[in-house]
Amino acid sequence: MDARRKATTIRRLSNDGVPVLIGTLFFALTIGIEKLDPRNISWLSFEDQHMHWLGWRFFAQDEWRWPLGANPNLGWERMNSIVFTDSFPGLAVLFKAVNLDVFDRGQFFGIGHLIGALLLFVGGRRLFSSLGLGLLQANLATAILATTPLFWWMHRWYPALSSGIALLVWAIYLYFDDRRRPRCRWHCWAMLLAGALVTHFYLVILITAFLVAALVQRYIDNRLNMTVDTVFLSAIVALLSGLMYLLGYFTVPSKWAQTGGYGWYSANLLGFLDQNEASWLIPDLPSKSSQHEPTSLGTGSLVLLILLVIARLRRRQKFELESVVRKHIPLAVVLSLLALLAVTNTVTIGSWTIQLPLPHRLQHGLSIFRASARFIWPSLILAVVGIAVLVTRTFKRASLALALAFAIQLVDYSHEMFAVSQRPNGYDINIVFEKEFWARIPDEYTSISSHPAASLSEGWAECAFAAVQTGRAAQCGYFARVQGLDQVNRLQSDALFAGNLDPHTVYWVSIGWLQTNKSELIKTYDVERASVQVVSVGAVAANSAVLIFPNCDASSECSFLGDRRTTLGVFLRSL
């Protein structure tokens, strides 16, 4: 028995060898081997990636706290964690424990992308093999799946989420393999859900949907051991709850997770066809500007679908969709519910929109899933998988058909698919920072606070970068979820109006807010009052903000600011 098990393990590892090589090549072409260098940060060039990286920087340079994922020096009222900057939470905790300066000041996102590519190709090969495809066909079908826009478009924006999408392929594999590998039922699902939780919460919801479908299917097939399965399910819930606590999911109250905007980023009913400027061959379809995340089949899959329809109609063969649905009713129900969540009550067909009424409380509750189009991803992946499997059961030269479809997608998307790998590499981040200026600021200023407080306010990246580079706390940033800031803004406004400023805080204040409240502020800050000074517009902060330094009497009237300083009273009268 041991010899047979050993032979099976060796065979499985050898079968996974080819996908590992292909996955490494896919990573090299779409992301770039250079991105594995932790010092290489120049390629993180978009706003979202800036926040992912800054979240990691603050987390890495802070002391260990409880819970482990707490990141209180970034954000307001010390309520933040590595989860809410989407900074690969699980890997972040691991690399913080490694405690190497090259990672603490650099990045490990390239490593995360590589892990995602390997998981995608190994998981895809296993999935297609379990559905009856040979080794060559399974690898070709996985290549078609990997070149579908969903698996590379997101690389440009969301490193953690885009890498973690591969876990959905494993969820589908576990669902279909549930009958054949009963021993793997629970620990495999537990590992998969834990992996999703330490990557991105949306993935947890989607993978849980497959687990629920598998459990209901077991019940229908009389394979459910109520006592044993209840114990294991309870253990998984306990495991995930513990991990959520450790990573800091609960540092922001749950009511602030409901951000509003359910329906903004919905799935279009033509989304399976709309290439969203990714294709040379297929023109874009009209859609809402906010429907930018990929939900389309690849051009190769669409070509295969057309060929399947023609071939089956000519042979008068059925697609057997009805029989497949009957065999997997729980999965069909779960996918339908996810699709309804994806489409939302803001139903769009191309550019045409209809708004369906929902109770306010339900609408607000669903706003926790603002990027709702992501709930269509399981259906999209299963559609690609289903097309590839049908090709192998319809055409004698199925391998050739799969190879041609892959080649079509590779050529059609080549101008977009390799965008990340073509980004410039280097050791500097594209965020403005005046090193000499900040080096002169006394250590008594321990934090930088933007006002008005808002996630994604103008100049947030410069504010947060200046803070992390100089070892200060930052009340500014761009967060996935953030607590309500009404009280924060009220307290800061009251402090500015009264002149009762925190002597340890540099205020990064919007000029627009100063102009709006000029008449009231002038009552407090007269021309002669030199204890509060301002750095001239555009000198260090963004052109739309100024830096206000209180407590200047204790710092030789802010002489460290040089000749670019003026009193707040004089500055207000110049507006």
Side-chain angles (χ1 to χ4, degrees), residues 504-520:
H504 303 295
T505 298
V506 177
Y507 291 86
W508 189 296
V509 183
S510 161
I511 294 176
W513 185 86
L514 293 175
Q515 289 175 323
T516 300
N517 298 279
K518 174 181 175 180
S519 58
E520 186 169 353

Side-chain angles (χ1 to χ4, degrees), residues 35-39 52-53 55-64 68-69 82 87-116 160 163 198-199 247:
K35 310 305 189 290
L36 293 175
D37 183 349
R39 300 168 299 172
H52 305 328
W53 179 72
W56 157 244
R57 285 289 314 278
F58 276 97
F59 182 66
Q61 75 177 23
D62 192 21
E63 62 185 6
W64 282 107
L68 297 180
I82 193 66
S87 309
F88 283 99
L91 287 178
V93 171
L94 174 63
F95 279 98
K96 181 173 181 175
V98 170
N99 194 27
L100 290 176
D101 188 65
V102 68
F103 286 110
D104 292 351
R105 302 186 66 83
Q107 55 83 25
F108 54 84
F109 298 170
I111 295 174
H113 277 300
L114 176 59
I115 293 171
S163 302
V198 302
T199 305
L247 290 173

Side-chain angles (χ1 to χ4, degrees), residues 54 57-63 65 71-74 78 104-105 433 435 438-449 462-475 504-506:
L54 286 168
R57 285 289 314 278
F58 276 97
F59 182 66
Q61 75 177 23
D62 192 21
E63 62 185 6
R65 299 179 183 271
N71 202 10
N73 289 328
L74 177 60
R78 303 182 70 80
D104 292 351
R105 302 186 66 83
F433 174 68
K435 184 176 180 180
W438 286 105
R440 296 197 303 268
I441 306 302
D443 291 340
E444 68 190 62
Y445 294 105
T446 57
S447 68
I448 305 174
S449 183
E462 290 83 359
C463 171
F465 188 48
V468 77
Q469 285 292 94
T470 57
R472 293 178 167 88
Q475 283 85 56
H504 303 295
T505 298
V506 177

Side-chain angles (χ1 to χ4, degrees), residues 145-462:
L145 186 63
T147 51
T148 300
L150 173 61
F151 288 95
W152 52 262
W153 189 94
M154 304 281 283
H155 289 340
R156 297 180 292 183
W157 304 94
Y158 317 119
L161 178 60
S162 63
S163 302
I165 295 173
L167 297 177
L168 298 181
V169 177
W170 283 87
I172 297 171
Y173 168 61
L174 288 185
Y175 172 83
F176 284 113
D177 209 44
D178 190 65
R179 296 181 183 181
R180 289 187 291 272
R181 300 182 65 199
R183 292 182 179 179
C184 192
R185 282 179 181 175
W186 286 112
H187 74 265
C188 289
W189 282 110
M191 288 190 297
L192 188 61
L193 283 166
L197 189 65
V198 302
T199 305
H200 202 285
F201 189 69
Y202 270 96
L203 301 173
V204 179
I205 302 297
L206 299 178
I207 292 172
T208 299
F210 283 101
L211 174 58
V212 170
L215 287 174
V216 177
Q217 192 66 54
R218 287 183 203 173
Y219 176 79
I220 293 173
D221 296 340
N222 293 317
R223 295 183 293 112
L224 191 68
N225 186 322
M226 192 63 70
T227 302
V228 173
D229 288 346
T230 299
V231 169
F232 276 109
L233 185 59
S234 301
I236 287 181
V237 172
L239 169 67
L240 296 183
S241 299
L243 276 176
M244 289 181 74
Y245 173 74
L246 286 175
L247 290 173
Y249 273 89
F250 305 130
T251 55
V252 173
S254 59
K255 65 179 180 179
W256 301 124
Q258 299 166 1
T259 56
Y262 180 64
W264 290 353
Y265 305 106
S266 61
N268 198 298
L269 292 180
L270 299 181
F272 272 25
L273 302 176
D274 183 16
Q275 299 295 310
N276 198 19
E277 300 182 358
S279 172
W280 271 336
L281 299 176
I282 301 177
D284 284 349
L285 298 176
S287 62
K288 287 176 24 180
S289 60
S290 59
Q291 294 173 328
H292 56 272
E293 291 190 355
T295 60
S296 63
L297 291 166
T299 47
S301 294
L302 289 171
V303 170
L304 290 177
L305 181 59
I306 293 170
L307 293 176
L308 280 170
V309 171
I310 294 172
R312 293 212 162 216
L313 287 176
R314 288 181 61 183
R315 301 175 191 176
R316 297 183 179 179
Q317 287 180 307
K318 295 181 179 180
F319 278 90
E320 302 172 356
L321 182 61
E322 184 179 349
S323 63
V324 171
V325 171
R326 284 180 179 176
K327 287 176 62 177
H328 302 282
I329 290 177
L331 180 60
V333 171
V334 165
L335 292 176
S336 298
L337 292 175
L338 289 176
L340 287 174
L341 282 173
V343 172
T344 76
N345 62 314
T346 306
V347 182
T348 53
I349 306 175
S351 58
W352 182 77
T353 301
I354 181 171
Q355 189 77 31
L356 302 177
L358 273 183
H360 174 74
R361 186 169 295 182
L362 177 59
Q363 177 98 10
H364 185 65
L366 289 173
S367 69
I368 193 173
F369 306 122
R370 186 174 53 187
S372 55
R374 295 169 184 175
F375 290 122
I376 206 68
W377 290 351
S379 297
L380 171 62
I381 296 171
L382 279 168
V384 177
V385 171
I387 289 170
V389 171
L390 277 175
V391 165
T392 64
R393 297 176 182 177
T394 304
F395 300 111
K396 291 182 178 179
R397 298 182 177 179
S399 298
L400 178 60
L402 293 173
L404 288 174
F406 167 61
I408 289 171
Q409 284 190 183
L410 193 63
V411 172
D412 187 32
Y413 296 139
S414 59
H415 64 298
E416 291 280 356
M417 194 185 306
F418 310 122
V420 175
S421 65
Q422 293 169 357
R423 286 181 184 170
N425 300 299
Y427 301 156
D428 297 312
I429 197 76
N430 184 29
I431 302 176
V432 175
F433 174 68
E434 192 171 329
K435 184 176 180 180
E436 292 182 1
F437 170 82
W438 286 105
R440 296 197 303 268
I441 306 302
D443 291 340
E444 68 190 62
Y445 294 105
T446 57
S447 68
I448 305 174
S449 183
S450 65
H451 187 73
S455 180
L456 198 57
S457 60
E458 188 170 352
W460 67 265
E462 290 83 359

Side-chain angles (χ1 to χ4, degrees), residues 485-507:
L485 297 174
D486 291 344
Q487 183 177 359
V488 172
N489 278 314
R490 184 168 59 253
L491 291 174
Q492 280 199 157
S493 294
D494 290 346
L496 284 163
F497 288 140
N500 186 26
L501 302 179
D502 180 1
H504 303 295
T505 298
V506 177
Y507 291 86

Side-chain angles (χ1 to χ4, degrees), residues 74-147:
L74 177 60
W76 294 269
E77 297 184 341
R78 303 182 70 80
M79 289 165 38
N80 188 27
S81 80
I82 193 66
V83 167
F84 298 112
T85 53
D86 292 345
S87 309
F88 283 99
L91 287 178
V93 171
L94 174 63
F95 279 98
K96 181 173 181 175
V98 170
N99 194 27
L100 290 176
D101 188 65
V102 68
F103 286 110
D104 292 351
R105 302 186 66 83
Q107 55 83 25
F108 54 84
F109 298 170
I111 295 174
H113 277 300
L114 176 59
I115 293 171
L118 298 179
L119 287 172
L120 172 58
F121 278 86
V122 173
R125 198 283 303 167
R126 291 194 179 189
L127 169 61
F128 285 111
S129 294
S130 71
L131 295 174
L133 277 65
L135 188 59
L136 174 61
Q137 292 177 344
N139 284 316
L140 286 171
T142 303
I144 293 173
L145 186 63
T147 51

